[in-house]
Amino acid sequence: MDRRELAGFLRSRRERISPADVGLPAGPRRRTPGLRREEVAQLAYISTEYYARLEQGRAPRPSREVLAGLARALRLSGPERDHLHHLAGAPPAPRSGPSREVRQSILDLLHRLPQAAATVLSAGFEVIAWNDLAAALMEDFSAVPRRDRNLVRRVFLGPHRDGRRLYGLSDADHFATRAARRLRATVARYPADPELAALVGDLLAGSARFRELWDSHDVSDEPTLVKTFRHPVVGPITVNCDVLDITDRDQRVIIYTAEPGSPAEQSLRLLSVIGTQRMPVG
């Protein structure tokens, strides 16, 4: 436990938060920047005396419960929470499972890309956010059970709606191979997550191909930069595929865009008008 560094870190985080940030009145006689020590203590559900001793470098090592309360009260980011634990001599415990909470700024980004189909995937391959064009290109994710939003489950076990495997994806076999390898690495990061364990159990029981890939113990993951979707209304759409990693939440933003002036761009424009409706063909 580094008492001196811990004290300075707590003080610096306290001073950057305004009372309004945590729903407290500023008051007419506030002489110090940020929150008062007693306010942090109240928000963290610990005594003011103990918190004061932490900032003075005189307190015994805080428990994990106290550290969780301090992280919440001081509105620490993920890296800041980890840093707090290390300073206190209590390295953070591994996350029990992949995060499904998408940052608001990422949700805003998805909806600011009207000409791109964009989704957010959890580390377990669940589609946890999407924009309107992604729903039109693949499916209305809000209308299907959460279980069916998992892409690795879909590619190996279905359902394959309209006779299309994984939304008519041209490289579905290649995606399946990459997904199995990436899922093995995810399970190693979250060994105690019951949902991941259940998913792997279902895949092993239901897919001989998955069992073969799983038994190989491969974890390499090569990106695919171009994909073709076979859409039931507008036909084949070839798009660029770019991936942005959200490292602090172990999530990925998948963005599909068409080459300017290409038939695929025209198809995406049509899909943006059609939305998730089904129009008669021919």
Side-chain angles (χ1 to χ4, degrees), residues 13-14 16-26 30 34-36 39-40 42-44 70-76:
R13 301 305 91 175
R14 173 174 62 83
R16 74 176 182 176
I17 301 176
S18 71
D21 290 336
V22 293
L24 295 174
R30 187 172 292 271
L35 298 179
R36 299 186 177 104
E39 290 169 337
V40 173
Q42 180 182 3
L43 292 169
L70 289 170
R72 182 180 60 253
L74 295 171
R75 307 184 69 169
L76 301 185

Side-chain angles (χ1 to χ4, degrees), residues 62-171:
S63 67
R64 291 189 180 274
E65 291 76 11
V66 168
L67 292 173
L70 289 170
R72 182 180 60 253
L74 295 171
R75 307 184 69 169
L76 301 185
S77 66
E80 287 173 333
R81 285 194 300 270
D82 291 349
H83 186 58
L84 174 68
H85 276 79
H86 286 296
L87 290 178
R95 296 172 181 169
S96 60
S99 172
R100 299 183 64 255
E101 182 180 352
V102 182
R103 239 185 351 253
Q104 185 60 48
S105 60
I106 299 298
L107 295 175
D108 293 341
L109 172 65
L110 263 58
H111 295 293
R112 288 171 181 160
L113 298 171
Q115 297 180 13
T119 63
V120 179
L121 297 185
S122 73
F125 280 90
E126 181 184 347
V127 178
I128 53 177
W130 57 90
N131 65 5
D132 291 342
L133 191 52
L137 177 64
M138 290 176 276
E139 72 175 332
D140 183 1
F141 295 105
S142 66
V144 299
R146 180 186 160 198
R147 176 186 179 90
D148 288 348
R149 295 178 200 160
N150 188 286
L151 299 188
V152 69
R153 181 187 294 277
R154 290 288 293 268
V155 74
F156 283 105
L157 303 179
H160 305 310
R161 295 194 173 95
D162 302 321
R164 300 180 305 143
R165 186 184 182 200
L166 201 65
Y167 318 116
L169 197 63
S170 61
D171 69 334

